[in-house]
């Protein structure tokens, strides 16, 4: 009896202290105004969520939209998501009345169509510590299903030799047909950002809302229907399409990849390898004078785009010159640089990558990717090698794998996975040569007889 009494007193004391601690945490009243896109007609909100994430603790707090609420003081990231309907107008076709019968102008009236889509917006590093009410504003972006390829996997970290040294050439990007019909890969462009997620400047002019600044563009060749991809099938775009195990036993075989990016280097000491078994992507532009490799610490963003104009027109009309100021201990330095740009409306899918300890911003705007993904916890993380980011499985339909695509890489991707090709070939997953023994759909869900 005495033991029970002591236990009761102890639990009561813990509960009282916990409640008292919670009451003692300073809180601040906050209000959020959602700014909806001004170019959208008849917008109707079906479902919406507003989440504040405490940067220090990682705790997520879902708060009411368009109402005041209290939060413990601290540093927060904030994200808004909504399922919506909106209207768009399709213009009617009009023929020349002289070509028809008298009085018949063959004019078709414009038609208003109701569409479904999603809104997203976010704020980062919001400091909530004021004694007065804090009023925030979140600008939202509309995105809808592009009915095109998505990025399934990015393997940018590379492998290591048994000596522990970095090996180059075996990086790849997997693209996936997540639809229920055949897609054609002809003309699809793979692009890497020029800007880095770990370094931000006030770029002038600032065109990020509408445009993606790139320094590498490689396009799948073809006249339109030369490269069909069935529903649930992938294509592998790789750095060098050879069996890399000949140079590094800890690597794997890419000699059967679908395409490789190949560069005619002007640096005799840094020559690229042109695979005899893997066709080349059409190189539209790349910054390097030697050969392109994916940023192996994951500081860049990647996008798939459909460029609706020819190469010559693009290279002539989509050059972007911008200025910014570098503030260093040695002084202030005005800078000017140039790059090519891709209108965000051409992008069919995009993925922001970074490293949490060094991340400053997301290069792609929220209507393309409202989140980010990673391999490695810190810059130069030695544990990042042999790992990729892989898109999560959302479900299965008639035996076809459906991958998750909410335009938010923080939600859509599994991080630090064993790459799919390493799993499939049973090759090394570390510098010690340990062989992969499990095959998964997305780096987490095992492939079994029941879900194949």
């Amino acid at each position: 009896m005495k033991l029970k009494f002591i236990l009761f007193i102890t639990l009561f004391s813990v509960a009282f202290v916990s409640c008292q601690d919670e009451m003692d945490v300073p809180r601040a009243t906050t209000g959020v105004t959602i700014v909806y896109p001004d170019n959208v007609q008849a917008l109707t909100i079906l479902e919406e969520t507003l989440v504040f994430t405490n940067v220090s603790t990682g705790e997520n707090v879902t708060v009411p939209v368009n109402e005041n609420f209290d939060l413990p003081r601290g540093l927060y990231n904030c994200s808004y998501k909504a399922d919506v309907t909106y209207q768009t107008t399709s213009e009617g076709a009009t023929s020349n009345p002289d070509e028809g019968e008298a009085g018949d102008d063959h004019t078709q009236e414009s038609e208003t169509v109701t569409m479904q889509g999603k809104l997203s917006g976010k704020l980062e590093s919001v400091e909530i510590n004021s004694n007065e009410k804090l009023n925030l504003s979140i600008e939202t972006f509309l995105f809808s299903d592009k009915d095109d390829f998505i990025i399934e996997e990015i393997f940018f970290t590379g492998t290591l030799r048994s000596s522990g040294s970095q090996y180059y050439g075996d990086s790849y990007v997997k693209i996936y047909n997540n639809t229920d019909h055949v897609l054609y890969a002809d003309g699809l462009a793979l692009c890497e950002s020029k800007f880095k997620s770990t370094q931000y400047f006030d770029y002038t002019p600032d065109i990020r809302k509408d445009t993606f600044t790139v320094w590498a563009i490689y396009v799948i060749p073809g006249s339109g229907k030369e490269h069909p991809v069935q529903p649930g099938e992938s294509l592998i775009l790789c750095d060098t399409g050879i069996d890399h195990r000949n140079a590094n036993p800890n690597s794997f075989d890419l000699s059967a990849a679908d395409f490789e990016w190949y560069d005619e280097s002007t640096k005799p000491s840094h020559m690229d390898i042109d695979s005899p078994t893997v066709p080349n992507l059409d190189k539209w532009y790349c910054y390097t004078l030697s050969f392109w490799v994916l940023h192996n610490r994951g500081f860049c963003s990647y996008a798939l785009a459909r460029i609706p104009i020819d190469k010559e027109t693009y290279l002539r009309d989509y050059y972007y010159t911008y200025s910014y100021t570098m503030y260093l201990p040695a002084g202030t330095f005005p800078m000017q640089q140039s790059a090519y740009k891709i209108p965000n409306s051409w992008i069919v899918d995009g993925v922001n990558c970074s490293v949490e300890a060094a991340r400053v911003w997301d290069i792609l705007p929220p209507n393309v990717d409202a989140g980010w993904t990673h391999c490695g916890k810190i810059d130069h993380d030695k544990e990042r090698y042999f790992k990729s980011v892989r898109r999560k499985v959302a479900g299965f339909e008639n035996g076809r794998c459906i991958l998750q695509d909410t335009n938010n890489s923080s939600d859509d991707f599994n991080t630090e996975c064993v790459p799919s090709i390493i799993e499939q070939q049973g090759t090394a997953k570390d510098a010690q040569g340990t062989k992969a023994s499990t095959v998964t759909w997305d780096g987490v869900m095992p492939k079994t007889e029941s879900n194949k």
Side-chain angles (χ1 to χ4, degrees):
M1 190 71 176
K2 184 177 180 180
L3 179 61
K4 289 184 179 180
F5 179 74
I6 294 173
L7 180 61
F8 171 77
I9 292 295
T10 303
L11 292 175
F12 176 80
S13 300
V14 171
F16 178 79
V17 171
S18 298
C19 292
Q20 188 68 34
D21 289 345
E22 186 174 340
M23 293 173 62
D24 290 342
V25 174
R27 303 177 74 86
T29 301
T30 308
V32 176
T33 300
I34 306 300
V35 180
Y36 300 106
D38 56 10
N39 60 343
V40 178
Q41 306 173 36
L43 182 71
T44 301
I45 306 296
L46 302 178
E47 185 178 356
E48 59 185 352
T49 57
L50 180 60
V51 178
F52 277 75
T53 302
N54 189 298
V55 173
S56 299
T57 66
E59 181 182 3
N60 292 323
V61 181
T62 301
V63 300
V65 181
N66 296 323
E67 295 181 22
N68 294 336
F69 50 88
D70 290 338
L71 284 176
R73 296 182 187 181
L75 191 65
Y76 290 86
N77 293 331
C78 175
S79 65
Y80 172 83
K81 299 177 186 178
D83 294 323
V84 302
T85 62
Y86 62 98
Q87 291 182 349
T88 185
T89 303
S90 60
E91 297 296 333
T94 302
S95 62
N96 189 330
D98 294 336
E99 296 177 356
E101 297 178 3
D104 183 7
D105 61 7
H106 298 279
T107 301
Q108 300 176 5
E109 295 183 358
S110 299
E111 180 182 5
T112 300
V113 180
T114 299
M115 308 284 288
Q116 289 190 336
K118 295 181 183 293
L119 287 181
S120 68
K122 64 180 178 180
L123 297 173
E124 294 191 325
S125 300
V126 177
E127 192 169 358
I128 298 179
N129 61 5
S130 174
N131 292 324
E132 299 180 357
K133 176 185 174 184
L134 179 63
N135 294 304
L136 303 173
S137 178
I138 298 181
E139 183 178 8
T140 61
F141 299 85
L142 177 69
F143 60 91
S144 57
D145 184 8
K146 294 284 190 178
D147 194 38
D148 212 321
F149 290 97
I150 60 174
I151 295 173
E152 175 186 351
E153 179 183 10
I154 310 175
F155 176 57
F156 55 78
T157 61
T159 57
L160 298 174
R161 297 179 175 88
S162 57
S163 63
S165 63
Q166 167 84 50
Y167 177 76
Y168 292 94
D170 53 7
S171 58
Y172 66 84
V173 176
K174 254 183 152 177
I175 64 174
Y176 188 74
N177 181 356
N178 209 35
T179 75
D180 60 359
H181 55 273
V182 175
L183 292 175
Y184 294 91
D186 307 49
L188 190 69
L190 172 64
C191 310
E192 183 182 66
S193 66
K194 179 174 184 180
F195 298 152
K196 304 293 183 289
S197 63
T198 55
Q199 186 178 50
Y200 177 79
F201 298 102
D202 289 322
Y203 301 105
T204 304
D206 184 359
I207 61 173
R208 188 173 73 98
K209 287 183 181 179
D210 304 309
T211 311
F212 181 45
T213 304
V214 299
W215 68 353
I217 307 172
Y218 293 81
V219 179
I220 296 176
S223 57
K225 291 192 174 182
E226 295 180 26
H227 305 295
V229 180
Q230 299 298 319
E233 297 291 328
S234 304
L235 288 181
I236 298 173
L237 316 182
C238 73
D239 185 339
T240 306
I242 61 174
D243 188 345
H244 290 274
R245 293 172 298 181
N246 295 325
N248 174 22
N250 284 339
S251 188
F252 44 85
D253 185 5
L254 284 171
S255 62
D258 296 283
F259 296 96
E260 68 171 4
W261 53 85
Y262 169 72
D263 301 290
E264 293 184 359
S265 174
T266 61
K267 303 287 186 179
S269 59
H270 294 84
M271 302 301 291
D272 204 356
I273 298 172
D274 190 3
S275 167
T277 61
V278 178
N280 294 334
L281 295 167
D282 183 6
K283 179 180 179 179
W284 280 34
Y285 173 76
C286 191
Y287 71 94
T288 180
L289 296 178
S290 56
F291 52 84
W292 179 50
V293 295
L294 305 185
H295 193 289
N296 73 6
R297 286 138 67 201
F299 290 175
C300 292
S301 294
Y302 297 92
L304 301 176
R306 295 283 188 181
I307 303 177
I309 54 179
D310 62 76
K311 179 178 179 179
E312 289 72 21
T313 303
Y314 173 79
L315 294 177
R316 182 189 67 216
D317 295 344
Y318 285 83
Y319 203 55
Y320 167 45
T321 299
Y322 56 93
S323 60
Y324 61 95
T325 301
M326 290 185 67
Y327 298 95
L328 300 174
T332 300
F333 301 92
M335 307 292 291
Q336 187 176 78
Q337 292 187 354
S338 297
Y340 281 97
K341 58 186 181 180
I342 297 282
N344 292 339
S345 59
W346 295 358
I347 295 175
V348 300
D349 192 40
V351 176
N352 289 312
C353 298
S354 194
V355 173
E356 185 173 5
R359 174 177 167 272
V360 177
W361 66 307
D362 292 337
I363 299 162
L364 289 165
N367 62 322
V368 178
D369 186 3
W372 61 283
T373 187
H374 67 92
C375 280
K377 302 292 190 299
I378 59 174
D379 190 11
H380 295 285
D381 194 332
K382 294 182 180 179
E383 301 300 318
R384 75 186 188 276
Y385 298 106
F386 297 92
K387 294 176 182 175
S388 70
V389 295
R390 297 174 63 178
R391 193 178 289 269
K392 296 177 182 177
V393 169
F396 297 87
E397 185 176 290
N398 299 324
R400 176 171 60 91
C401 180
I402 309 296
L403 298 181
Q404 183 168 305
D405 183 22
T406 67
N407 283 31
N408 187 322
S409 292
S410 298
D411 298 334
D412 292 344
F413 279 83
N414 290 319
T415 63
E416 301 182 344
C417 302
V418 175
S420 60
I421 293 180
I422 290 179
E423 287 184 346
Q424 291 160 8
Q425 297 183 8
T427 52
K429 59 179 183 178
D430 56 37
Q432 291 71 45
T434 306
K435 305 299 184 184
S437 58
T438 301
V439 179
T440 67
W441 288 102
D442 58 3
V444 174
M445 180 187 294
K447 283 191 176 182
T448 64
E449 291 302 323
S450 60
N451 63 24
K452 283 185 181 178

